[in-house]
């Protein structure tokens, strides 16, 4: 029989970290503006990175070894030490950007267990944030050898919507490993000839010595491109191209292909039933479900299904985000500014009597979205009354997903007086809409308090902001 006492062990090691005695290592972080004391035996047995570092550093006159990590913030490194000593990582109320940065730091310090846990947390619960910052994340993670879950998460999106990367301005800066991971996929939803065009475009961009005009290319120029693309070329489905595509697109670059391959392509066009020596890859599969187009109507003009899943998760106080196929609520549109108008009184007339609602506001000129959830009933017939609840919250999406729950429950949500409804819309203590011109689209009619007075924390850095659209949804639990 085994008796485990890990909680006490973890507590004692945290006490050792906080004690400050008998340390023999100092780690300087944040451009040497902050430092942490630690113990070499703990560091080297918990991290192979620290083991190597400590072996190569000579102690000073006080027998202290100093490690400098200027690029790591003090807040991030404090979490790293808490994990190393006590196996504790408390991420409650931390923004997704912080979790992402913590994962990168954990990977840098070769803390595989922590890195994997954070990567799983991001891919399983922070999908909307990852998609919002897609291009930046995609280009960065392929510079590293790890993060297989994140790479698969991103590639699963790109194969359905390849324009996210292939049509981006920084496509040619894509890492070779990232490009290969995409073009080798059987389910990449792109015409083969276009894949060829993008591969050629990427290869040419990797060198500056190739002439602009293809007619001016020498044998050495073609050899240069062939060398650059040697890992990419085997993944093109040459034998599924039409004759015109081969003549117009492949033939001009035939000198970058192996002679046998080009001969087989040429022969296959004339006698397609005759066997060839080259490997014939299968055609790319076409998804049965049609990809959504820009013309298709969404349930919301402001948020996506991923955002709806995240808001539903917050409503139910879940730690793991709902999957898109398992959202327990329907978002029933009550009001849309571009459809119903932006007069404050319109909000009270339409939303009167509705409970369990989400207000969503699109910030003009940005991708920013702010909002609030009210579990109680909007009432236009009061003389101005604060409603008390512990279940309301405000939030921001797009720039970063910030959740801020009510902390002063008696000032959670305000039902404005009839006189105030002429200019004032929904109010969530630290976030509200107000227009002295009775039109939310005129001037900066959105307001978010810069410090958390009634809610846990601010959801925007700027206080006043312009509004381009807003929506109110009634949240209704689905029936089985």
């Amino acid at each position: 029989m085994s008796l485990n006492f890990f909680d006490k062990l973890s507590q004692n090691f945290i006490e050792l970290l906080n004690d400050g005695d008998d340390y023999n290592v100092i780690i300087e972080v944040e451009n040497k503006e902050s430092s942490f004391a630690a113990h070499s035996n703990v560091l080297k047995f918990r991290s192979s990175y620290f083991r190597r570092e400590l072996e190569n550093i000579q102690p000073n006159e006080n027998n202290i070894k100093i490690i400098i990590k200027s690029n790591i913030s003090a807040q991030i490194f404090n979490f790293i030490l808490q994990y190393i000593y006590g196996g504790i990582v408390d991420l409650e109320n931390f923004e997704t950007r912080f979790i992402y940065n913590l994962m990168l730091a954990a990977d840098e310090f070769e803390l595989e267990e922590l890195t994997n846990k954070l990567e799983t947390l991001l891919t399983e619960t922070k999908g909307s944030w990852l998609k919002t910052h897609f291009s930046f994340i995609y280009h960065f993670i392929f510079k590293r050898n790890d993060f297989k879950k994140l790479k698969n998460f991103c590639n699963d999106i790109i194969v359905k919507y390849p324009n996210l990367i292939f049509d981006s301005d920084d496509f040619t800066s894509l890492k070779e490993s990232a490009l290969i991971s995409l073009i080798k996929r059987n389910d990449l939803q792109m015409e083969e000839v276009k894949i060829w065009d993008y591969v050629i475009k990427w290869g040419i961009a990797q060198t500056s010595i190739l002439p602009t005009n293809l007619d001016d290319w020498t044998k050495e120029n073609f050899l240069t491109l062939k060398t650059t693309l040697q890992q990419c070329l085997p993944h093109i489905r040459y034998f599924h191209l039409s004759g015109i595509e081969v003549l117009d697109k492949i033939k001009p670059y035939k000198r970058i292909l192996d002679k046998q391959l080009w001969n087989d392509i040429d022969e296959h066009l004339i006698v397609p039933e005759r066997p060839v020596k080259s490997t014939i890859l299968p055609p790319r599969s076409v998804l049965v479900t049609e990809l959504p187009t820009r013309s298709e109507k969404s349930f919301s003009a402001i948020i996506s299904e991923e955002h709806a899943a995240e808001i539903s998760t917050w409503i139910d106080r879940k730690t793991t985000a709902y999957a898109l196929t398992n959202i327990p609520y329907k978002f029933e549109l009550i009001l849309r500014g571009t459809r119903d108008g932006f007069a404050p009184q319109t909000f009270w007339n339409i939303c009167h009597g509705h409970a369990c609602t989400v207000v969503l506001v699109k910030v003009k000129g940005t991708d920013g979205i702010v909002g609030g959830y009210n579990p109680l009933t909007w009432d236009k017939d009061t003389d101005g009354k604060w409603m008390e609840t512990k279940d309301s919250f405000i939030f921001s999406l797009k720039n970063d997903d910030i959740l801020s729950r009510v902390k002063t429950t008696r000032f959670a949500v305000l039902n404005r007086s009839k006189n105030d409804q002429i200019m004032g819309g929904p109010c969530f203590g630290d976030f509200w809409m107000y227009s002295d011109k009775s039109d939310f689209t005129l001037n900066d009619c959105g307001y978010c308090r810069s410090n958390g007075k009634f809610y846990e924390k601010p959801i925007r850095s700027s206080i006043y902001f312009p509004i381009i659209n807003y929506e109110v949804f009634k949240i209704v639990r689905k029936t089985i």
Side-chain angles (χ1 to χ4, degrees):
M1 182 177 67
S2 175
L3 301 177
N4 298 320
F5 303 96
F6 294 126
D7 289 345
K8 183 62 175 177
L9 179 64
S10 173
Q11 178 184 339
N12 290 152
F13 268 89
I14 292 295
E15 291 170 354
L16 172 66
L17 173 64
N18 297 331
D19 184 61
D21 290 337
D22 300 324
Y23 66 89
N24 60 350
V25 179
I26 290 178
I27 303 97
E28 297 181 349
V29 301
E30 209 164 305
N31 294 321
K32 298 184 179 180
E33 293 182 4
S34 299
S35 62
F36 294 84
H39 308 80
S40 60
N41 283 337
V42 177
L43 295 179
K44 70 182 183 181
F45 281 104
R46 291 282 282 158
S47 165
S48 55
Y49 169 87
F50 281 116
R51 179 179 290 275
R52 289 195 309 273
E53 286 289 303
L54 292 169
E55 287 175 351
N56 297 322
I57 295 176
Q58 294 297 319
N60 62 17
E61 63 277 8
N62 298 318
N63 203 35
I64 302 294
K65 293 186 176 184
I66 299 177
I67 298 175
I68 299 175
K69 295 296 295 181
S70 298
N71 62 320
I72 301 293
S73 73
Q75 186 182 33
I76 289 286
F77 193 73
N78 181 57
F79 268 72
I80 294 293
L81 280 184
Q82 294 289 322
Y83 166 76
I84 287 176
Y85 275 77
I88 296 174
V89 179
D90 183 5
L91 297 173
E92 186 71 24
N93 298 324
F94 277 88
E95 298 173 4
T96 307
R97 170 73 75 173
F98 178 84
I99 298 173
Y100 176 77
N101 290 337
L102 180 61
M103 180 195 68
L104 299 183
D107 180 65
E108 184 175 348
F109 290 117
E110 299 176 22
L111 302 171
E112 184 177 355
E113 178 190 43
L114 178 58
T115 303
N116 290 339
K117 287 287 187 181
L118 294 174
E119 186 181 12
T120 299
L121 177 65
L122 287 169
T123 55
E124 292 185 357
T125 70
K126 303 296 181 181
S128 61
W129 185 89
L130 293 174
K131 291 174 183 177
T132 301
H133 302 81
F134 186 86
S135 182
F136 162 75
I137 292 172
Y138 189 81
H139 282 270
F140 183 82
I141 61 174
F142 276 94
K143 297 177 182 178
R144 313 280 278 261
N145 293 325
D146 299 319
F147 309 129
K148 291 183 179 179
K149 293 177 183 176
L150 272 173
K151 290 176 181 178
N152 289 335
F153 177 91
C154 290
N155 277 346
D156 285 345
I157 294 173
I158 294 175
V159 295
K160 297 179 183 177
Y161 311 103
N163 61 297
L164 288 174
I165 289 298
F166 287 90
D167 289 342
S168 65
D169 294 336
D170 51 1
F171 164 72
T172 54
S173 66
L174 200 64
K175 296 288 288 184
E176 182 185 41
S177 60
L179 179 60
I180 293 173
S181 71
L182 287 173
I183 64 174
K184 70 191 297 185
R185 294 273 297 248
N186 289 333
D187 54 350
L188 179 58
Q189 301 296 293
M190 182 183 289
E191 294 178 32
E192 200 66 36
V193 68
K194 290 185 178 180
I195 296 174
W196 168 264
D197 285 340
Y198 280 113
V199 168
I200 294 297
K201 177 182 177 181
W202 181 89
I204 292 174
Q206 305 314 302
T207 177
S208 59
I209 65 172
L210 298 177
T212 303
N213 191 340
L214 189 62
D215 293 335
D216 297 331
W217 281 33
T218 65
K219 180 180 179 180
E220 288 71 25
N221 293 147
F222 283 103
L223 181 59
T224 298
L225 183 61
K226 180 178 181 179
T227 302
T228 300
L229 294 177
Q230 61 182 328
Q231 302 298 323
C232 298
L233 295 176
H235 301 293
I236 302 296
R237 318 299 167 92
Y238 303 98
F239 298 95
H240 301 287
L241 295 169
S242 69
I244 292 177
E245 290 169 341
V246 170
L247 290 175
D248 291 348
K249 299 293 186 176
I250 307 298
K251 187 177 181 180
Y253 293 95
K254 69 178 183 178
R255 281 190 278 182
I256 73 173
L257 303 179
D258 291 338
K259 187 175 181 179
Q260 182 64 57
L261 175 59
W262 170 248
N263 289 338
D264 285 343
I265 295 172
D266 193 27
E267 182 179 308
H268 183 74
L269 291 177
I270 302 172
V271 191
E273 66 274 9
R274 180 176 294 177
V276 296
K277 294 181 180 179
S278 301
T279 301
I280 299 181
L281 297 175
R284 301 187 192 272
S285 59
V286 178
L287 295 179
V288 175
T289 304
E290 292 186 3
L291 299 177
T293 63
R294 293 180 182 272
S295 62
E296 290 179 359
K297 290 185 177 181
S298 172
F299 78 101
S300 170
I302 297 178
I303 63 169
S304 64
E305 289 282 353
E306 288 82 3
H307 291 129
E310 189 163 25
I311 293 169
S312 299
T313 302
W314 292 339
I315 291 173
D316 287 350
R317 297 180 180 268
K318 297 288 187 181
T319 56
T320 302
Y322 287 118
L324 297 186
T325 56
N326 196 35
I327 301 175
Y329 298 106
K330 293 186 293 183
F331 281 57
E332 297 182 351
L333 182 66
I334 302 174
L335 183 156
R336 177 175 289 152
T338 53
R339 183 190 69 184
D340 303 306
F342 292 92
Q345 189 65 61
T346 300
F347 168 81
W348 296 103
N349 291 341
I350 294 179
C351 297
H352 172 72
H354 288 290
C356 299
T357 55
V358 168
V359 177
L360 300 166
V361 178
K362 182 74 169 65
V363 181
K364 184 178 181 180
T366 73
D367 287 333
I369 298 170
V370 295
Y373 171 68
N374 176 20
L376 305 177
T377 302
W378 296 109
D379 187 353
K380 70 175 184 177
D381 294 329
T382 69
D383 291 328
K385 180 181 179 182
W386 283 100
M387 296 186 286
E388 182 173 356
T389 176
K390 61 179 175 52
D391 294 322
S392 66
F393 56 82
I394 57 177
F395 55 88
S396 70
L397 304 169
K398 288 291 187 180
N399 294 327
D400 201 353
D401 294 356
I402 301 175
L403 168 65
S404 182
R405 296 192 181 276
V406 65
K407 65 179 181 180
T408 308
T409 57
R410 60 194 180 94
F411 295 114
V413 185
L414 175 64
N415 274 323
R416 296 184 184 274
S417 66
K418 291 184 178 180
N419 290 335
D420 199 21
Q421 291 171 17
I422 298 173
M423 292 183 286
C427 175
F428 292 85
D430 291 346
F431 153 59
W432 61 80
M433 299 164 65
Y434 194 90
S435 171
D436 56 7
K437 299 182 183 298
S438 295
D439 187 331
F440 290 136
T441 61
L442 300 179
N443 301 328
D444 293 348
C445 293
Y447 178 91
C448 289
R449 202 185 302 273
S450 59
N451 61 331
K453 183 176 181 181
F454 301 130
Y455 285 74
E456 293 173 338
K457 54 188 173 183
I459 57 174
R460 277 183 60 85
S461 56
S462 56
I463 300 176
Y464 295 97
F465 56 90
I467 294 170
I468 191 172
N469 197 8
Y470 85 110
E471 295 176 330
V472 182
F473 287 91
K474 185 177 182 65
I475 308 302
V476 180
R477 184 170 290 277
K478 297 176 181 177
T479 56
I480 300 176

